[in-house]
Amino acid sequence: MNRSTILLVDDEKEITNLLEIYLKNEGYQLLIANDGLEALELLQSNAVDLIILDVMMPRMDGIQACIKIREEKQMPIIMLSAKGQEIDKITGLSIGADDYVVKPFSPLEILARVKSQLRRYRHFSGNDVKSENEIVIDELVIHLTQHRVSVDKIPIKLTPREFSILYTLAVNRGRVLSMEQIYEAVWEEPFYESNNTVMVHIRKIREKLEKDPSSPQYIKTIWGIGYTIE
């Protein structure tokens, strides 16, 4: 039986009722909030493994809530939105969401994404790692078992998705990975040509890791090919 706790944040009763059925049927424990403020209150008193967060809500919307959550919490966040334009997806991913699903959606799709996010988060947070392990690249240290990153001994807060991308590049150090290779390794789904998701995440990682993101020390761009950690 799955014991992971999911916080579902949406003001549309039909959506929460539908997802509640599917998620509970898979054994997940569920907390439900109707807006961002209620979600933040629940996070103060409950241990949550993943958040499904709608964008358009009263009082505090999903964008504001995601920003507040990311100040302290690092669990996966899947954003839901009726807005499917590329700029809307980029905005959601830029503020710390790990995935972005456009309404209307299939409950089975959400369930698959939940399982994928939790599986990856458990792996990189150390629950599936049997021994202490670190990757050290100059002043950058990636602590695999603790799901932590530091630069010059200063802790860096990365989202689970950002951590996965950095890990993928680090374990392939010296190789140039295309956006397609990174996407399919991290998202575990087919890449489509106009997808800027990887580029957005790389930019956010650089902003957190680098002293000068415009001249990065760690993640290098190989124009026309992809990215590498040398």
Side-chain angles (χ1 to χ4, degrees):
M1 183 64 70
N2 201 314
R3 296 185 178 180
S4 297
T5 298
I6 295 173
L7 173 58
L8 174 58
V9 191
D10 200 312
D11 63 323
E12 294 185 49
K13 196 67 175 176
E14 290 182 2
I15 289 179
T16 56
N17 287 343
L18 181 63
L19 290 180
E20 181 178 13
I21 292 170
Y22 278 82
L23 292 168
K24 284 189 173 180
N25 191 51
E26 287 292 319
Y28 294 110
Q29 299 180 56
L30 203 63
L31 299 170
I32 297 177
N34 295 312
D35 57 58
L37 287 177
E38 190 175 340
L40 293 177
E41 292 173 2
L42 286 172
L43 284 171
Q44 293 298 316
S45 54
N46 295 275
V48 172
D49 299 292
L50 179 143
I51 301 172
I52 300 174
L53 181 63
D54 186 35
V55 172
M56 301 299 293
M57 294 181 295
R59 295 208 301 167
M60 177 183 284
D61 64 26
I63 298 295
Q64 294 173 303
C66 186
I67 292 171
K68 292 293 293 182
I69 292 167
R70 281 292 179 243
E71 290 177 359
E72 296 181 358
K73 309 289 186 180
Q74 298 302 315
M75 76 283 283
I77 297 177
I78 300 174
M79 297 201 83
L80 308 178
S81 178
K83 298 180 178 181
Q85 297 296 318
E86 191 78 8
I87 186 63
D88 299 310
K89 295 181 181 180
I90 289 173
T91 299
L93 296 171
S94 295
I95 60 160
D98 297 284
D99 209 345
Y100 190 102
V101 181
V102 178
K103 298 178 180 180
F105 52 76
S106 162
L108 291 176
E109 177 189 1
I110 298 297
L111 196 58
R113 291 176 183 268
V114 164
K115 290 179 178 179
S116 176
Q117 288 290 335
L118 287 173
R119 183 170 62 250
R120 185 177 297 107
Y121 184 63
R122 283 194 295 266
H123 174 73
F124 288 117
S125 62
N127 293 346
D128 294 338
V129 178
K130 302 305 181 183
S131 61
E132 186 74 21
N133 207 354
E134 291 183 349
I135 298 175
V136 180
I137 304 170
D138 296 331
E139 299 301 322
L140 170 65
V141 182
I142 304 170
H143 308 268
L144 303 184
T145 55
Q146 291 86 19
H147 196 273
R148 292 188 293 109
V149 173
S150 62
V151 175
D152 199 17
K153 299 183 180 180
I154 299 173
I156 306 296
K157 288 186 177 181
L158 297 183
T159 69
R161 191 76 81 182
E162 291 166 353
F163 186 92
S164 297
I165 291 171
L166 182 62
Y167 170 83
T168 299
L169 289 168
V171 296
N172 288 282
R173 187 178 182 183
R175 291 182 57 199
V176 180
L177 301 183
S178 67
M179 286 198 293
E180 179 178 358
Q181 289 173 312
I182 296 170
Y183 186 89
E184 293 185 350
V186 173
W187 275 261
E188 298 179 351
E189 61 185 37
F191 178 83
Y192 52 93
E193 188 174 353
S194 62
N195 194 338
N196 292 322
T197 302
V198 171
M199 182 175 63
V200 172
H201 279 80
I202 293 287
R203 187 182 74 233
K204 296 298 292 184
I205 295 169
R206 282 173 171 164
E207 289 174 356
K208 295 177 180 181
L209 293 185
E210 305 285 356
K211 294 179 181 178
D212 181 6
S214 64
S215 181
Q217 175 183 352
Y218 298 109
I219 302 177
K220 308 284 189 179
T221 300
I222 308 300
W223 294 107
I225 304 177
Y227 300 96
T228 186
I229 292 180
E230 297 176 343

